[in-house]
Amino acid sequence: MVIKTVLALSTLALSSLAIAADIPRFEVEAICKEISGGSHDIFNFCIEQEQKSYNQLRDEAESIDARTMSYCTEGAGDSYEVLLFCIEDETDAENESANSLKSFSFD
């Protein structure tokens, strides 16, 4: 019984790591350097925003659909902030479409 519990916990821990590993690795410092144009304040602000977005993605990784992550990663442009925005937008759209379907009219 103890072995089964240990195996179950190990499997759960490994599956959590696998999901978290799906968050892409972006060259944040290079992007922020490019965006900042040499401004230390803008560079630091960029790093702070990217870190905040990455942390949120990391914390929510288990609940993010793999297809949504893949789709949004393609258009993120190496930015966790853009990636997070896309995932939130796609998730909201999926929830909205599941609750209400729009109809077309020729009027």
Side-chain angles (χ1 to χ4, degrees), residues 1-105:
M1 183 68 168
V2 172
I3 293 174
K4 286 182 181 180
T5 303
V6 170
L7 287 174
L9 291 174
S10 297
T11 303
L12 181 61
L14 289 174
S15 65
S16 295
L17 289 174
I19 291 171
D22 289 339
I23 297 173
R25 296 270 181 178
F26 294 147
E27 298 294 328
V28 174
E29 291 171 356
I31 295 301
C32 288
K33 184 177 180 181
E34 183 179 324
I35 290 170
S36 71
S39 168
H40 292 276
D41 290 338
I42 294 173
F43 178 84
N44 288 338
F45 179 76
C46 178
I47 292 293
E48 289 171 6
Q49 294 304 307
E50 291 295 319
Q51 186 68 62
K52 182 175 157 185
S53 296
Y54 174 81
N55 291 348
Q56 186 173 344
L57 285 165
R58 182 195 62 217
D59 294 346
E60 297 173 3
E62 291 181 25
S63 65
I64 299 171
D65 181 73
R67 291 172 296 163
T68 302
M69 177 68 85
S70 177
Y71 169 78
C72 289
T73 298
E74 289 181 30
D78 293 340
S79 169
Y80 291 111
E81 190 169 18
V82 173
L83 178 60
L84 179 61
F85 175 79
C86 179
I87 289 169
E88 289 175 342
D89 192 51
E90 287 296 312
T91 303
D92 290 345
E94 288 171 9
N95 291 337
E96 182 180 299
S97 66
N99 294 327
S100 64
L101 296 176
K102 296 183 182 196
S103 62
F104 178 83
S105 172

